[in-house]
Amino acid sequence: MTEAPMLDPGLIAQLLPFDPFDPAFLADPYPSYAQVREKGPVTRTPLGLWAVTGHEACSAVLRDQRFGWGDGAAVADHFRHGADGSVVRPFIFADAPEHTRIRALVSKAFAARQVDRMRATAERVVHELIETARAEAGDGPIDLMRAVAHPLPGRMQNALLDVPAEHAARFDELSGDIARGLDPSFLLAPEEIAKRDSARAELYHYIGELAERRRADPGTDLISELVSVQEGGDKLTPHELEVTCTLLLSAGYATTVNLIGNGMLALLGRPEQRDWLRADPDRVPAAVEEMLRFDPPVQMISRVAVAEAEIAGHTVQPGEQVMLMIGAASHDPAVYDDPDALKLDRPAGRNLGFGLGIHFCVGAPLARLTAQAAVSALTALDLELLTETPARVPNIIMRGLAELPVRISG
């Protein structure tokens, strides 16, 4: 597991309302979120960051276009391109009209039919992964993260983009390296930053090559759709396509991996909930939504005020940073009854796990479909959780497990 970067604890304490590298926080951040939320749905840290912990306040900011990315300075270091140091931001890190233009093109290509045709693939692949893991482990333990949670989203993305089989393993590795670097750069060790940037450059190059092939010989995959899609005569530039695909892959990969891992840990630790779900497999989609709420992969979403605005009675000035604590909002007792309990029959709605508003995750349908296939197949097995406290990856934006050891009986 990667060591947390050596940062000044005093600086961190002034920037964030908790210590993200405290082992207790890494294991269970929700008590810390509750302490911050008790001070009100919005608090300001000594360095001027607005921390939003209330569900209603987070929802309002996500819907309010006075909060966006501004000049992009907060994420520029993530997206420098080439030796000239120029920045090309993915559309989810851009504001209107750039965001509106590119999202319209991506959404048109990422149509429902692109996702719906993947359902049978997800079900087939997850069963193949389980059988392979059982054959390799015999009666021994199986790490569900290594055996299912990591390879399944990778296989799904490779199928969506029609990545040649000989390149699939490297494609997955690059997506994982970029995903592990989604935290702000000041929270990453230098080697993590170097690995992230190197992986992104290689993936840009490879997607560019695939795009050229699909221009000459289009198929039914997402890259072919993105190459050909038009809206009012507008098309994606080659680099816009590279950047868009790379972000969809890395962010989508990490979110789905950790939705499966976090969800299965929560489920296996509560046998009564697992038995309830096993008795009625049709409840899996609703169960995945509760898993997404209970321990969301995306714990925080950053925004910048692009105009003066108000959050829960607090005036935020242009250029000020806002951190939306999705993990805290997902446990807000003002919205959820007994929020710290996993209740798979909880009424649907109000879930912020994939964002909200114009920046709602465009890949959410595929992530949900993939997680549903995994949860359905794994719930049908007699799984024994071998530790209630598996090691976690020391990230703060994306919350996930380093391992999830289980044993399959029968």
Side-chain angles (χ1 to χ4, degrees):
M1 187 170 65
T2 304
E3 293 286 336
M6 296 298 294
L7 296 171
D8 180 356
L11 177 63
I12 293 296
Q14 294 181 67
L15 180 66
L16 296 171
F18 47 78
D19 179 359
F21 302 121
D22 182 348
F25 178 85
L26 185 64
D28 183 3
Y30 301 104
S32 296
Y33 291 153
Q35 290 177 2
V36 177
R37 195 175 50 242
E38 286 174 0
K39 302 173 185 177
V42 180
T43 58
R44 197 176 192 193
T45 66
L47 286 183
L49 177 77
W50 294 96
V52 184
T53 55
H55 189 285
E56 182 179 350
C58 279
S59 300
V61 173
L62 287 169
R63 290 191 176 103
D64 191 337
Q65 294 192 44
R66 291 174 298 177
F67 295 95
W69 294 99
D71 62 5
V75 292
D77 62 323
H78 267 268
F79 302 110
R80 301 207 178 277
H81 177 64
D84 63 354
S86 61
V87 176
V88 179
R89 287 184 282 168
F91 71 94
I92 70 167
F93 293 113
D95 301 325
E98 180 185 0
H99 172 272
T100 307
R101 170 185 159 264
I102 298 180
R103 186 177 181 108
L105 291 166
V106 173
S107 297
K108 194 170 181 179
F110 212 128
R113 59 188 170 83
Q114 282 281 3
V115 175
D116 288 344
R117 70 182 178 86
M118 302 295 291
R119 189 172 300 277
T121 301
E123 293 170 353
R124 173 181 57 79
V125 170
V126 72
H127 284 288
E128 289 175 356
L129 293 172
I130 290 171
E131 290 309 308
T132 297
R134 296 185 75 165
E136 292 177 350
D139 295 329
I142 293 173
D143 177 6
L144 282 187
M145 299 305 293
R146 184 185 67 83
V148 176
H150 280 287
L152 177 59
R155 295 269 192 96
M156 293 295 288
Q157 291 181 341
N158 290 342
L160 187 67
L161 273 64
D162 193 19
V163 175
E166 65 269 23
H167 300 304
R170 181 57 177 162
F171 217 73
D172 293 350
E173 184 180 355
L174 294 172
S175 295
D177 288 344
I178 298 170
R180 282 188 288 274
L182 289 175
D183 273 357
S185 293
F186 71 87
L187 292 175
L188 299 173
E191 59 270 23
E192 291 176 307
I193 295 173
K195 197 170 188 179
R196 175 199 71 194
D197 292 349
S198 174
R200 184 179 289 118
E202 186 174 340
L203 203 50
Y204 283 169
H205 177 73
Y206 185 65
I207 290 172
E209 289 187 339
L210 285 180
E212 285 302 312
R213 295 181 202 172
R214 304 295 154 75
R215 286 187 182 95
D217 184 19
T220 60
D221 58 282
L222 181 60
I223 292 180
S224 294
E225 294 283 351
L226 288 170
V227 164
S228 62
V229 70
Q230 295 190 47
E231 184 72 29
D234 187 25
K235 298 184 69 172
L236 293 174
T237 69
H239 191 53
E240 284 172 345
L241 189 149
E242 294 165 13
V243 170
T244 296
C245 280
T246 298
L247 187 79
L248 289 173
L249 287 172
S250 56
Y253 172 87
T255 301
T256 311
V257 166
N258 295 317
L259 174 54
I260 295 169
N262 294 352
M264 288 307 302
L265 174 62
L267 187 63
L268 294 176
R270 295 162 178 80
E272 76 289 349
Q273 293 287 290
R274 180 191 59 192
D275 293 345
W276 178 89
L277 184 58
R278 182 183 288 176
D280 190 351
D282 289 343
R283 293 164 164 166
V284 165
V288 167
E289 293 306 298
E290 171 64 357
M291 294 173 179
L292 180 65
R293 179 209 69 84
F294 180 75
D295 199 8
V298 179
Q299 290 279 301
M300 304 174 201
I301 297 176
S302 177
R303 289 288 184 269
V304 176
V306 296
E308 183 178 300
E310 185 178 286
I311 311 174
H314 298 270
T315 301
V316 181
Q317 298 297 328
E320 291 185 336
Q321 294 272 338
V322 177
M323 185 66 79
L324 305 176
M325 305 290 182
I326 301 302
S330 297
H331 284 242
D332 188 344
V335 173
Y336 299 105
D337 175 51
D338 196 8
D340 295 330
L342 181 75
K343 296 183 178 181
L344 299 184
D345 60 349
R346 192 183 295 276
R350 299 187 174 188
N351 201 326
L352 301 181
F354 288 114
L356 204 64
I358 65 169
H359 288 283
F360 178 79
C361 177
V362 71
L366 181 62
R368 284 184 162 117
L369 181 154
T370 305
Q372 289 166 13
V375 170
S376 179
L378 293 170
T379 301
L381 302 173
D382 290 321
L383 295 178
E384 175 192 358
L385 185 62
L386 298 183
T387 175
E388 294 183 357
T389 57
R392 285 196 172 269
V393 179
N395 289 354
I396 68 166
I397 300 296
M398 195 71 66
R399 174 169 166 80
L401 297 168
E403 61 179 9
L404 184 53
V406 302
R407 183 173 282 108
I408 301 178
S409 303

